[in-house]
Amino acid sequence: MKLKHLLLTCVTLLFATNLFAQTIRVASWLPPTNPMNAVVIPEWGKAISKATNGRLKVEIVYGMGHPKSMWNLVEDGIVDASYSYHGYVPGRFELLQVVEQPGLGTNAEAASYALWNTYQKYFAKSHEFDGLKLLALFTHGPGQIYSNFPINDIKDLENKKIRIGGGVQSQLAERFHITPVGAPATKVYEMMQQGVIDGAFLPVGEMKTLRLAEVTKDLTLFPNGLYMGSFSMFMNPDVFDDLSQQDQEAINKASGEVLSVLAGKAWDAGDVAGLQSAREAGVNIHVVKPNSTLAKEVNQRIDDVAAAWVKKVDKKGFNGDAALSYLRETAMQYAAKHKE
């Protein structure tokens, strides 16, 4: 009888836990194969579920629209949380371009760690995330150039139609004298296949996650990449405030620096898989040597990009130079500490 009573109690508790579990719906605009959906959000969800004894669960919701609408979807309470790329909403997240500036020279994990801490130190009082609870800040891996033509000289890029995602990429497009075509990463396959664009600025991981190895002839890899792309993950503050203090603490513990690093690390792993996918598909991979003429030409074209960002940030009342120096130093220290 005691065993029967114990089993009945366990079943009752399990039923009650599932009955009253709350689901956090996270909108995603990238495919299931992307690191955000395959690794980051599931791992974040597991940590939260474990810490709350199953009271909170995380569900990924697809097909919610353009990535630039994710912030509005969360602000309006249509979904509970999401993530997106800052370059898709020009003018709103200019401070976060601190990590996008050319010359950082680290991977996404180190850059993401540095971005989260730099934002907390220098930009926490800004209003860029008003109406949202910020969960994480992170980057994809170094941005490179996908193309349907070889790039041997900087002039090979001139007047070519290249997809850009916004942010610092807009500055690069101007200095390379290309014809920029703004579009989300999810549209690149179709645009490359149909010849709408001649190439795209993207991290290497998209060769696999977006199957771009199927439609890309050449991949040009610059030393340390041309730029980093910044993202944020965020939550509806009202949904968060309605949770118990214990559940709020569980979310906070699984977010912030921890979630930022998790995301950066996942994007780095995606780049490794993407490069392998490109090789297997027979994409022409051109690794630009640091002392090559092409590398020097590119560096000459973009050597004032960071200074332009600093000037813009200073006008907003923030110390852009200090923030940029801190981010780069923090990223390099993290990279050196975690070097394999």
Side-chain angles (χ1 to χ4, degrees), residues 79-114:
V79 291
D80 303 316
S82 188
Y83 66 93
S84 200
Y85 185 76
H86 300 129
Y88 293 146
V89 282
R92 179 171 180 179
F93 298 107
E94 291 182 339
L95 299 178
L96 291 161
Q97 290 180 24
V98 62
V99 77
E100 298 185 10
Q101 304 307 310
L104 181 58
T106 64
N107 61 14
E109 180 183 349
S112 299
Y113 171 85

Side-chain angles (χ1 to χ4, degrees), residues 105-150:
T106 64
N107 61 14
E109 180 183 349
S112 299
Y113 171 85
L115 179 59
W116 175 263
N117 286 285
T118 300
Y119 196 86
Q120 300 309 310
K121 183 178 178 66
Y122 289 95
F123 304 136
K125 294 183 179 180
S126 70
H127 299 284
E128 291 188 338
F129 289 96
D130 283 356
L132 297 164
K133 173 178 172 54
L134 182 61
L135 297 172
L137 294 170
F138 55 96
T139 77
H140 60 45
Q144 307 288 2
I145 301 182
Y146 294 49
S147 63
N148 59 16
F149 60 94

Side-chain angles (χ1 to χ4, degrees), residues 123-334:
F123 304 136
K125 294 183 179 180
S126 70
H127 299 284
E128 291 188 338
F129 289 96
D130 283 356
L132 297 164
K133 173 178 172 54
L134 182 61
L135 297 172
L137 294 170
F138 55 96
T139 77
H140 60 45
Q144 307 288 2
I145 301 182
Y146 294 49
S147 63
N148 59 16
F149 60 94
I151 302 172
N152 298 308
D153 186 280
I154 191 67
K155 292 183 179 180
D156 292 332
L157 283 168
E158 294 184 359
N159 300 316
K160 292 295 194 302
K161 293 175 291 184
I162 305 295
R163 173 269 174 190
I164 65 169
V168 77
Q169 295 174 57
S170 300
Q171 302 299 315
L172 301 183
E174 180 180 333
R175 285 160 175 76
F176 292 163
H177 302 155
I178 67 173
T179 300
V181 180
T186 50
K187 294 292 185 181
V188 174
Y189 186 102
E190 178 183 353
M191 297 170 77
M192 289 282 281
Q193 186 181 51
Q194 297 179 355
V196 176
I197 56 176
D198 301 307
F201 288 163
L202 285 168
V204 180
E206 307 300 10
M207 279 286 180
K208 182 174 182 179
T209 60
L210 294 179
R211 297 168 40 221
L212 295 184
E214 298 175 9
V215 294
T216 303
K217 293 181 180 179
D218 294 87
L219 173 64
T220 304
L221 303 177
F222 290 87
N224 302 317
L226 293 174
Y227 65 95
M228 304 295 276
S230 65
F231 297 75
S232 57
M233 188 166 171
F234 38 87
M235 185 174 182
N236 183 289
D238 294 329
V239 172
F240 180 81
D241 291 341
D242 286 342
L243 299 174
S244 67
Q245 182 177 351
Q246 187 177 3
D247 289 355
Q248 289 180 0
E249 291 175 354
I251 290 177
N252 285 335
K253 186 176 181 180
S255 305
E257 181 183 301
V258 172
L259 182 56
S260 301
V261 170
L262 171 64
K265 187 179 295 186
W267 281 92
D268 283 334
D271 280 355
V272 174
L275 185 58
Q276 181 61 30
S277 179
R279 287 173 176 151
E280 293 173 354
V283 175
N284 298 316
I285 301 173
H286 180 200
V287 180
V288 180
K289 296 180 179 180
N291 294 322
S292 67
T293 300
L294 179 57
K296 292 177 180 179
E297 290 174 336
V298 166
N299 290 335
Q300 289 174 355
R301 294 277 185 104
I302 65 178
D303 65 354
D304 65 337
V305 171
W309 175 84
V310 167
K311 185 177 181 179
K312 184 183 297 185
V313 170
D314 287 347
K315 290 182 178 179
K316 291 177 176 287
F318 298 94
N319 191 332
D321 188 60
L324 182 60
S325 296
Y326 176 82
L327 178 132
R328 288 177 169 173
E329 181 179 351
T330 301
M332 294 302 294
Q333 289 178 348
Y334 182 95

Side-chain angles (χ1 to χ4, degrees), residues 2-20:
K2 289 183 178 180
L3 179 59
K4 182 178 181 180
H5 179 71
L6 178 61
L7 289 173
L8 180 62
T9 300
C10 291
V11 171
T12 301
L13 288 173
L14 180 61
F15 177 76
T17 298
N18 290 332
L19 182 64
F20 295 105

